[in-house]
Amino acid sequence: MEVFGYAASVFIGISLGLIGGGGSILTVPVLVYLFGIDAFLATEYSLFIVGISSMVGSFSYLKKGLVDLKTAFIFGIPSIISIFVTRNFLLPLIPDEVFRMGNFMVTKDIFLLLLFAGLMITASYKMIQKKVESKAEIVPSQNSNTLLAAGEGSVVGILTGLVGAGGGFMIIPALVNLLKTPMKVAIGTSLVIISLNSLIGFFSSMNHVKIEWNLLGRISAIAVVGIIIGSQLSKKIDGKKLKPAFGWFILVMGIYIIIKELFF
C-alpha cells in the first residue's frame, strides 16, 4: 500500500500548486489508510508535509509579486495562536475513549477521522459550489472586513490544529470575499498562510509524538515534487475549472471515511 501512498503524495502537492488548497485535505487519509499511521500521529505528520509543500509552492508566487504579506499577517497571526493552543492544550484533553454505545466505542482516532470527514464534506461543498469570482479580481483591496478575516483565521487555526489540514478551502474565499484580494494573489497568500500555520503547528507540538523522520522526509519530498508540477501546470491549466471535479472526489472520500470508521 505504501507504493500507492507515495503516488498519492504527488497529487497532494499538485492540488496545492494548482488551486492553492485542497491537497492538505488528502494528506491525513493517505497517511492513515495507505501508510497505516494512526490518526493522531497522521495529523502531526500532515502539518509538516503540507507546511513544507506550501512553503516551496509559495516561492514562485513571491517572485511574481502575487503574495500580500500584510494580509498574510492579518489572517495568519490569529491562526498561529489558535493552532498553538489547539495542539498543545485542546487535543490532549480529548480522551482515548471519547464515548461508548453498547459494544460500539468511539476512540480518539475514530473521533478525529470523523471530524476530518466532516471537514472534507464541507470543503467539497465549497469546491463544487459555483461562484462568480472574476469580479473580485478587479476590486481594489479593502480592509473594512479585517476583523472578520482575523476571526476566520482563528477558526482555520483551530481546524488545522485538530485535524492537520491547511484550511486553504476556507482561506481563499475569505481573502477574496472579505478582503477583496485578487484570485491569483489569494492563492499565493493562502500558500504562505498555510505554510506558516502548518510548520509552526508542527514544531510547537512535535515533542508530544515520536516522529519517523525517514518516512516523513520521503513523503514530504514527493509532495514537494507534486507542488512544483502543480505550479507549472497552473500556467497552462485554470485551477478553478478543476476545483469542482476535485470537490466531488473529496466528497466521496469523506463519505467513505465515515462509512469505514462507523460500520467496518
Side-chain angles (χ1 to χ4, degrees):
M1 294 297 285
E2 283 194 6
V3 174
F4 295 105
Y6 290 125
S9 299
V10 178
F11 291 100
I12 292 169
I14 290 175
S15 171
L16 283 166
L18 268 177
I19 63 178
S24 59
I25 211 80
L26 290 175
T27 311
V28 170
V30 166
L31 293 172
V32 171
Y33 297 117
L34 298 182
F35 287 100
I37 298 171
D38 71 77
F40 179 73
L41 184 58
T43 64
E44 189 73 21
Y45 279 17
S46 176
L47 290 173
F48 184 82
I49 295 164
V50 172
I52 291 293
S53 303
S54 300
M55 182 177 67
V56 172
S58 67
F59 287 152
S60 63
Y61 286 90
L62 281 165
K63 288 180 182 178
K64 297 172 188 175
L66 295 175
V67 174
D68 187 334
L69 292 176
K70 181 181 177 181
T71 297
F73 282 111
I74 289 171
F75 203 98
I77 290 174
S79 292
I80 290 168
I81 294 170
S82 296
I83 290 170
F84 179 82
V85 172
T86 301
R87 296 297 297 182
N88 289 281
F89 299 103
L90 182 58
L91 265 181
L93 292 177
I94 301 175
D96 291 333
E97 182 182 324
V98 179
F99 69 87
R100 181 190 291 269
M101 294 180 62
N103 293 325
F104 178 72
M105 180 176 69
V106 173
T107 62
K108 185 175 185 175
D109 280 355
I110 293 175
F111 173 75
L112 289 174
L113 286 169
L114 292 177
L115 184 64
F116 197 90
L119 184 64
M120 291 180 80
I121 292 171
T122 302
S124 70
Y125 172 76
K126 289 183 176 292
M127 290 178 183
I128 295 167
Q129 189 180 35
K130 293 182 179 179
K131 291 184 178 180
V132 179
E133 295 173 326
S134 58
K135 291 182 180 179
E137 299 202 25
I138 59 175
V139 178
S141 179
Q142 300 173 355
N143 293 321
S144 59
N145 290 318
T146 298
L147 288 177
L148 283 174
E152 186 152 352
S154 298
V155 173
V156 169
I158 293 170
L159 291 174
T160 300
L162 281 173
V163 300
F169 74 96
M170 290 180 66
I171 296 172
I172 292 176
L175 297 183
V176 171
N177 298 324
L178 295 180
L179 299 180
K180 309 304 178 187
T181 306
M183 177 54 67
K184 288 186 178 180
V185 176
I187 292 174
T189 305
S190 171
L191 288 173
V192 170
I193 295 169
I194 291 170
S195 63
L196 288 172
N197 285 356
S198 301
L199 289 175
I200 291 174
F202 173 82
F203 287 110
S204 69
S205 61
M206 61 179 288
N207 293 329
H208 296 199
V209 295
K210 184 178 180 181
I211 306 295
E212 191 177 337
W213 286 105
N214 288 336
L215 175 63
L216 185 56
R218 288 195 296 270
I219 299 171
S220 301
I222 293 171
V224 166
V225 171
I227 202 166
I228 293 171
I229 294 171
S231 297
Q232 294 301 313
L233 289 176
S234 67
K235 299 174 183 177
K236 302 177 182 180
I237 302 172
D238 188 353
K240 288 182 288 184
K241 293 180 180 178
L242 296 178
K243 189 176 283 190
F246 188 72
W248 283 108
F249 175 72
I250 293 295
L251 176 62
V252 172
M253 282 293 296
I255 294 171
Y256 168 79
I257 291 173
I258 291 173
I259 293 172
K260 186 177 190 306
E261 295 304 321
L262 291 181
F263 302 106
F264 293 98

